[in-house]
Amino acid sequence: MAESRSILVVCYGNLCRSPMAEGLLRHHLPAEFAVRSAGTHAFGGEPPTSTAQEVMKRDAGIEIHDQRSSELTVASIEWADHIFTMSTQQAQLVAALDPRASVRTRLFGAFAPATSFSGFSADPRGSEAGLLEVPDPTGGAYGDYLECMRRLEEAADRCAAWLIAGADPAAAPPTVVQA
């Protein structure tokens, strides 16, 4: 079993993607792994969106209604052995807060790359999400959340297997921001 057991999942507002990924990773990982999520622009204390909660409960069988958003901080970055972001911009913000975190920050979507572009951005007012980024379903229909959750589920399954196997950096997607 790996020595690195604290996982931080980061998105923009910590209301959709990272809470869903947190729930999925908790489901896929043994209890000795600690999983948290945060948002680069989160206010803190808010539950996941109702649609994120519904898609997770209905389609994944996982309850996330008790989760609350939290702001990405230097302390949360320092706590984490591994940091997974939904966008390159979020990875850059992690590195801006703590440059030492660059070597342990990866795009979560890189564990399950998209096969086509979604037309959605990974950050508000950002450009179209790249194939390794996870598009933000905020404001979209139930089907958009479902598509996002399915992608996150595939990434969580592969990421969990990597973490359980020892988290060999050579066996994972590369880090996003070079130190």
Side-chain angles (χ1 to χ4, degrees):
M1 184 77 53
E3 293 296 319
S4 303
R5 297 188 177 154
S6 55
I7 314 304
L8 181 65
V9 187
V10 178
C11 73
Y12 186 84
N14 196 209
L15 298 172
C16 299
R17 295 169 292 174
S18 58
M20 289 192 291
E22 176 184 348
L24 290 161
L25 283 169
R26 284 184 178 177
H27 178 75
H28 287 287
L29 289 168
E32 56 268 10
F33 283 87
V35 184
R36 297 180 187 169
S37 62
T40 58
H41 292 78
F43 293 110
E46 298 294 320
T49 66
S50 58
T51 309
Q53 291 180 49
E54 183 181 358
V55 76
M56 287 293 290
K57 182 176 181 177
R58 183 188 296 175
D59 297 288
I62 299 171
E63 290 280 358
I64 63 169
H65 68 276
D66 287 338
Q67 292 183 27
R68 294 295 178 261
S69 63
S70 65
E71 180 182 3
L72 179 68
T73 63
V74 171
S76 63
I77 293 168
E78 289 175 346
W79 169 84
D81 294 317
H82 300 281
I83 302 164
F84 302 106
T85 67
M86 300 296 149
S87 77
T88 302
Q89 181 180 9
Q90 293 154 17
Q92 292 167 341
L93 289 170
V94 167
L97 285 173
D98 183 352
R100 297 169 298 162
S102 298
V103 297
R104 53 187 207 279
T105 303
R106 290 176 167 72
L107 288 173
F108 194 64
F111 284 94
T115 57
S116 63
F117 292 99
S118 68
F120 291 95
S121 68
D123 293 291
R125 296 172 301 283
S127 58
E128 183 176 24
L131 297 177
L132 302 181
E133 297 177 302
V134 179
D136 189 352
T138 301
Y142 186 89
D144 299 322
Y145 279 81
L146 179 59
E147 185 176 325
C148 179
M149 188 277 298
R150 287 182 176 154
R151 171 106 180 271
L152 292 171
E153 187 169 36
E154 184 178 351
D157 183 51
R158 292 177 182 174
C159 180
W162 174 72
L163 290 164
I164 291 167
D168 178 5
T175 56
V176 181
V177 181
Q178 301 304 314

